[in-house]
């Protein structure tokens, strides 16, 4: 897509965005302790002595988390580093009892990679991944529990996060939304993060700047902790306008951290941007460098599922689906699996139409997920077989579908019970057509006199008399023969 440039008063501007996404790793226990990571537990019920930073406690690296990070790196087509180092990032927060966060700085576990994003205009684009590193989450301060006190919940303290950093390749709010959606989809396919932004298991820091098209990178502002795809788009829209106004008035952008305020739909300055040296990073003396072998990496690679983009391309190539249809179908793994079970040995395009337009439409109306579908994949497949072999017409199939959806019955059962089989008996159809012609002499005359449009009227009458069951192809053929004689 030729990305949208913004027209200002002094010329055009190009938007430049890079994202840092924090994704909570799916793991039963924390990055350096055995405490549980279960969401929604009583405050401070899942805090080990390590998480509370009691003196003398030592961190022990969670091997499963390392595996999850490697799996994610492979899913992001990234280089996995054989050696990485945990470092202390020092700062004070009331909900950070250690006084530092254990993170990775110069040597992250995952290096350069890329993902493909799908844009609304039906094109795709590659976005570079800079790195992925592991780090601890902080606890949570609660300021709204008591009129004069603040509380701290350390359940989240020490949970493993992956910070996934993108290159500044994103060129506007749509691309940012597509990037975040695709990233979330990949993590969910991999089973390394649940991607639930409303529970905070995935949060985005959005770096935004503007520049003259193709010019030098502008100074960026970083908008912290934006927690929905929609909010990311709105925050970018706001921030771009703010920066363009400042620049066009002859001002300068200050590099700083800003907050998105969803109640006022604006970003607000939070603090000046710290530089790395302000954190006084140094290798954590309690942890050895993490060394992993190529065999270890290859063993994990073998366990990777087919990822969204591979699936998307396979659906396009093997089933002849459009990019749009494929993108809809691969959006969630259960949805893709359902579709494949329906398409199995059947007309795959027809199957895609029925899954996308009819089934997803009906489920959406009822606020149901595909895993709760009252029609199984096998049942929907049965309906499609009946359409393909001309047992029923596409029009009757819609009624059968509605009945299947409400009753849970098989298509074949409903067709039998209601006598909906398509009439393909040429003799029977011919008899009905003779009736229609006999009953409408005026229209026959008008048609023969040149009113071609009346052909549809005769088709309609014939279908009506057969209760919609006559095979439309045969009806057309016989009518044409009789009327054009
Ligand atoms: P830090 O860790 O201090 O936030 P980084 O250099 O690691 O800084 O960059 C963080 C993010 O900012 C990356 O996603 C990167 O792509 C993005 N970024 C860097 N420069 C710009 C810029 N001029 N405009 C927009 N995004 C940028
Ligand atoms: Mg940052």
């Amino acid at each position: 897509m030729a990305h949208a440039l913004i027209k200002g008063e002094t010329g055009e501007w190009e938007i430049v965005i890079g994202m840092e996404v924090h994704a909570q790793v799916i793991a039963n226990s924390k990055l350096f302790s055995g405490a549980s990571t279960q969401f929604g537990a009583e405050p401070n019920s899942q805090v080990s002595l390590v998480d509370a930073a009691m003196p003398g406690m030592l961190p022990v690296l969670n091997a499963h988390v390392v595996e999850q990070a490697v799996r994610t790196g492979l899913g992001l087509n990234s280089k996995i580093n054989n050696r990485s180092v945990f470092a202390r990032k020092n700062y004070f927060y009331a909900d950070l009892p250690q006084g530092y966060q254990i993170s990775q700085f110069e040597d992250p576990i995952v290096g350069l990679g890329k993902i493909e994003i799908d844009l609304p205009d039906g094109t795709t684009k590659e976005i570079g991944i800079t790195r992925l590193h592991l780090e601890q989450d902080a606890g949570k301060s609660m300021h709204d529990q008591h009129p004069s006190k603040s509380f701290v919940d350390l359940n989240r303290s020490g949970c493993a996060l992956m910070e996934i950093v993108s290159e500044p390749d994103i060129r506007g709010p749509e691309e940012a939304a597509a990037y975040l959606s695709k990233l979330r989809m990949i993590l969910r396919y991999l089973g390394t993060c649940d991607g639930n932004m409303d529970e905070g298991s995935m949060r985005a820091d959005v770096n935004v700047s503007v520049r003259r098209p193709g010019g030098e990178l502008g100074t960026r502002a970083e908008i912290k902790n934006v927690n929905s795809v929609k909010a990311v788009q709105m925050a970018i829209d706001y921030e771009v306008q703010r920066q363009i106004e400042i620049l066009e008035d002859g001002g300068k952008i200050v590099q700083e951290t800003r907050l998105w305020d969803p109640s006022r739909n604006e970003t607000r300055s939070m603090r000046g941007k710290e530089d790395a040296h302000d954190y006084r990073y140094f290798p954590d003396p309690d942890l050895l460098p993490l060394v992993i072998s190529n065999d270890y990496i290859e063993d994990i690679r073998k366990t990777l599922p087919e990822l969204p983009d591979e699936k998307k391309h396979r659906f396009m190539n093997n089933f002849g689906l459009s990019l749009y249809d494929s993108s809809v179908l691969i959006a969630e793994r259960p949805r893709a699996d359902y579709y494949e079970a329906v398409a199995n040995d059947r007309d795959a395009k027809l199957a895609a139409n029925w899954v996308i337009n009819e089934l997803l439409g009906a489920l959406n109306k009822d606020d149901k997920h595909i895993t709760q579908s009252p029609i199984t994949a096998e049942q929907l497949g049965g309906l499609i077989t009946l359409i393909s072999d001309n047992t029923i017409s596409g029009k009757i199939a819609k009624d059968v579908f509605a009945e299947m959806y409400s009753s849970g019955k098989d298509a074949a059962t409903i067709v039998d019970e209601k006598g909906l089989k398509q009439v393909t008996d040429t003799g029977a159809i011919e008899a009905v057509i003779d009736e229609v012609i006999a009953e409408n002499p005026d229209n026959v005359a008008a048609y023969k006199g040149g009113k071609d449009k009346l052909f549809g009227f005769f088709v309609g009458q014939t279908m009506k008399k057969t209760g919609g069951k006559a095979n439309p192809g045969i009806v057309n053929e016989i009518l044409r023969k009789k009327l054009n004689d």
Side-chain angles (χ1 to χ4, degrees):
M1 172 160 79
H3 52 264
L5 296 173
I6 307 278
K7 262 213 170 59
E9 314 224 321
T10 60
E12 292 187 315
W13 296 94
E14 183 180 33
I15 307 172
V16 175
I17 299 164
M19 286 217 250
E20 296 159 276
V21 172
H22 288 92
Q24 190 178 325
V25 179
I26 296 179
N28 293 329
S29 54
K30 298 185 181 180
L31 181 53
F32 297 113
S33 87
S36 167
T37 58
Q38 189 83 44
F39 178 79
E42 275 290 293
N44 296 308
S45 62
Q46 299 178 165
V47 187
S48 78
L49 297 172
V50 175
D51 310 322
M54 289 296 148
M57 291 300 128
L58 289 173
V60 177
L61 182 58
N62 181 335
H64 180 64
V65 170
V66 173
E67 207 179 298
Q68 292 285 62
V70 171
R71 185 171 288 123
T72 306
L74 293 171
L76 303 177
N77 309 297
S78 296
K79 173 166 192 315
I80 310 299
N81 292 324
N82 295 102
R83 183 176 184 279
S84 61
V85 174
F86 287 98
R88 290 189 184 176
K89 180 181 185 184
N90 299 281
Y91 59 100
F92 173 81
Y93 264 160
D95 48 28
L96 185 75
Q98 288 172 156
Y100 57 84
Q101 177 189 29
I102 306 179
S103 180
Q104 296 186 307
F105 182 51
E106 281 155 338
D107 302 295
I109 184 164
V110 175
L112 290 178
K114 57 174 192 279
I115 67 174
E116 180 176 293
I117 61 170
D118 305 307
L119 297 169
D121 69 353
T123 59
T124 61
K125 176 178 171 176
E126 226 166 62
I127 304 292
I129 301 291
T130 312
R131 59 189 271 154
L132 174 157
H133 64 254
L134 282 170
E135 63 185 27
Q136 298 176 301
D137 206 346
K140 196 167 74 187
S141 297
M142 300 190 285
H143 305 293
D144 53 359
Q145 310 281 308
H146 189 278
S148 61
K149 293 179 179 165
S150 280
F151 294 102
V152 175
D153 175 7
L154 293 180
N155 281 352
R156 218 174 56 190
S157 166
C159 283
L161 297 179
M162 298 181 281
E163 178 170 334
I164 302 164
V165 182
S166 87
E167 294 287 296
D169 290 345
I170 300 163
R171 289 289 171 273
E174 290 82 22
E175 292 191 12
Y179 172 76
L180 205 52
S181 306
K182 180 53 72 63
L183 187 60
R184 179 170 57 186
M185 205 186 291
I186 294 171
L187 299 180
R188 284 178 169 165
Y189 265 67
L190 291 166
T192 56
C193 170
D194 66 27
N196 294 336
M197 297 189 81
D198 45 2
E199 289 178 2
S201 15
M202 203 174 131
R203 342 191 256 275
D205 298 346
V206 191
N207 295 270
V208 181
S209 66
V210 296
R211 66 175 176 188
R212 293 302 184 187
E216 299 244 312
L217 281 183
T219 305
R220 69 189 147 118
E222 177 178 15
I223 312 162
K224 276 275 179 205
N225 280 332
V226 194
N227 59 5
S228 75
V229 175
K230 185 92 202 123
V232 164
Q233 286 182 281
M234 287 176 24
I236 293 169
D237 279 333
Y238 178 87
E239 188 57 24
V240 165
Q241 279 314 318
R242 187 188 72 87
Q243 292 187 10
I244 291 177
E245 268 168 42
I246 292 175
L247 293 170
E248 298 207 317
D249 282 350
K252 274 206 160 90
I253 305 300
V254 190
Q255 187 173 333
E256 62 180 351
T257 301
R258 300 179 70 86
L259 262 190
W260 170 245
D261 180 345
S263 61
R264 294 208 265 165
N265 283 346
E266 61 181 31
T267 63
R268 270 206 313 272
S269 182
M270 197 167 116
R271 55 171 193 250
K273 173 78 192 166
E274 313 80 356
D275 276 314
H277 61 253
D278 298 326
Y279 290 115
R280 304 200 171 264
Y281 278 100
F282 63 87
D284 192 307
D286 290 339
L287 290 157
L288 290 167
L290 171 61
V291 176
I292 54 183
S293 70
N294 288 338
D295 285 349
Y296 169 87
I297 298 167
E298 289 316 310
D299 281 348
I300 295 175
R301 195 192 299 278
K302 284 182 207 137
T303 68
L304 291 193
E306 182 182 39
L307 288 165
D309 287 321
E310 297 171 56
K311 219 187 254 306
K312 184 180 75 194
H313 290 298
R314 180 166 61 82
F315 282 8
M316 290 166 72
N317 296 335
N318 294 9
F319 295 143
L321 303 188
S322 66
L323 174 68
Y324 176 81
D325 283 358
S326 306
S327 302
V328 172
L329 292 170
I330 57 112
E332 300 173 57
R333 217 162 135 180
R335 186 187 291 182
D337 291 345
Y338 185 104
Y339 166 70
E340 281 210 78
V342 176
N344 185 28
D345 286 334
R346 299 194 179 90
D347 182 336
K349 276 196 193 171
L350 190 61
N353 284 340
W354 279 86
V355 171
I356 295 172
N357 299 326
E358 304 303 321
L359 184 69
L360 292 182
L363 291 171
N364 201 19
K365 226 188 274 161
D366 287 354
D367 222 357
K368 278 194 172 136
H369 190 252
I370 191 128
T371 51
Q372 304 165 299
S373 170
I375 303 180
T376 66
E378 201 181 321
Q379 286 176 316
L380 188 57
L383 178 67
I384 284 158
T385 301
L386 295 182
I387 303 168
S388 298
D389 68 12
N390 277 323
T391 307
I392 56 175
S393 67
K395 192 152 175 294
I396 295 269
K398 294 208 178 184
D399 301 334
V400 176
F401 176 88
E403 174 89 17
M404 290 169 77
Y405 192 88
S406 59
S407 71
K409 286 184 189 167
D410 286 350
T413 311
I414 296 168
V415 168
D416 271 352
E417 278 176 6
K418 305 212 151 168
L420 296 174
K421 265 207 178 88
Q422 191 159 233
V423 180
T424 49
D425 171 351
T426 324
I429 295 176
E430 192 167 353
V432 176
I433 287 177
D434 285 341
E435 266 178 55
V436 170
I437 288 177
E439 283 164 12
N440 296 283
D442 293 353
N443 279 337
V444 173
Y447 177 80
K448 291 194 166 166
K451 264 186 108 180
D452 290 350
K453 268 190 288 181
L454 277 171
F455 192 76
F457 163 82
F458 294 106
V459 175
Q461 288 298 305
T462 310
M463 293 310 275
K464 200 163 148 197
K465 273 185 186 283
T466 58
K469 288 183 290 184
N471 177 301
I474 300 175
V475 170
N476 272 282
E477 195 184 313
I478 300 179
L479 264 175
R480 198 152 278 136
K481 217 186 300 162
K482 299 224 168 209
L483 288 173
N484 295 346
D485 265 353

